Amino acid sequence: MYRIGHGYDVHALSEGLPLWIGGVKIECSFGAVAHSDGDVLIHAICDSLMGALSLGDIGKHFPDTSYEFKNIDSKILLERTMSLVKARGYAIVNVDCTLALEAPKIGPYNSHMRDVLSAIMSISPDDISIKATTREGLGFVGRKEGVEAWSVVLLKKSNLL
Ligand code: MG
């Protein structure tokens, strides 16, 4: 039995903050404004996993009003989300993500991100796709005011894998 899920996230960007994407720290002068570490890609992936199993969204499971999640490493949120998935007897088949970010180029980090995420998600790096695009200077992403991410994930009953 298969389940498909979609996730989306957005964060504002501000000078002087760390920028975490896909569990990796990106070298640049600005970062995400967030209650957690603001890892937009991991948040979108978590939302897609929760969506696939109709478990609500990341805000329901990890509320940004809770001190427990203040500045939390989003890799911990992904680990907890994977626990929810595994507890329901599902495993990931593959995940496909898109990131919209005007700068910097994240291509050089792609392989490291997929290695980090695959270890948490119990799949091969080859089963994780992370694509990146700019907004061609248009809108809030184009003005470098924010970053967006989308994720689509396919789950399979783990006893069928
Ligand atoms: Mg978020």
Side-chain angles (χ1 to χ4, degrees):
M1 182 184 182
Y2 291 95
R3 308 274 302 200
I4 192 167
H6 169 258
Y8 168 79
D9 194 33
V10 59
H11 281 275
L13 294 170
S14 184
E15 281 292 330
L17 295 174
L19 182 61
W20 287 91
I21 297 178
V24 174
K25 189 151 185 278
I26 309 296
E27 286 302 320
C28 71
S29 65
F30 52 84
V33 178
H35 184 72
S36 67
D37 68 2
D39 192 321
V40 68
L41 187 64
I42 287 186
H43 295 176
I45 291 171
C46 287
D47 244 15
S48 64
L49 290 166
M50 291 169 184
L53 295 174
S54 302
L55 297 175
D57 57 37
I58 194 169
K60 173 185 167 187
H61 292 271
F62 313 121
D64 64 9
T65 50
S66 168
Y67 188 77
E68 180 187 0
F69 304 115
K70 180 73 181 158
N71 296 325
I72 195 169
D73 181 341
S74 292
K75 292 188 281 295
I76 295 170
L77 302 183
L78 182 56
E79 285 168 7
R80 293 198 192 178
T81 304
M82 283 306 301
S83 295
L84 298 174
V85 171
K86 289 174 180 175
R88 283 159 180 79
Y90 283 85
I92 297 172
V93 177
N94 73 304
V95 56
D96 182 23
C97 307
T98 303
L99 192 66
L101 177 68
E102 208 66 15
K105 295 285 182 208
I106 62 108
Y109 300 92
N110 188 287
S111 174
H112 188 192
M113 288 178 187
R114 289 161 60 226
D115 283 345
V116 168
L117 296 177
S118 66
I120 302 171
M121 298 165 79
S122 303
I123 50 176
S124 160
D126 292 338
D127 297 323
I128 301 178
S129 160
I130 302 172
K131 311 181 303 295
T133 183
T134 70
R135 285 279 200 185
E136 300 284 342
L138 299 170
F140 69 89
V141 170
R143 293 189 298 272
K144 302 181 183 174
E145 294 170 359
V147 55
E148 293 177 289
W150 296 260
S151 170
V152 174
V153 65
L154 185 66
L155 304 184
K156 193 175 185 181
K157 267 287 186 187
S158 51
N159 59 4
L160 299 177
L161 286 172

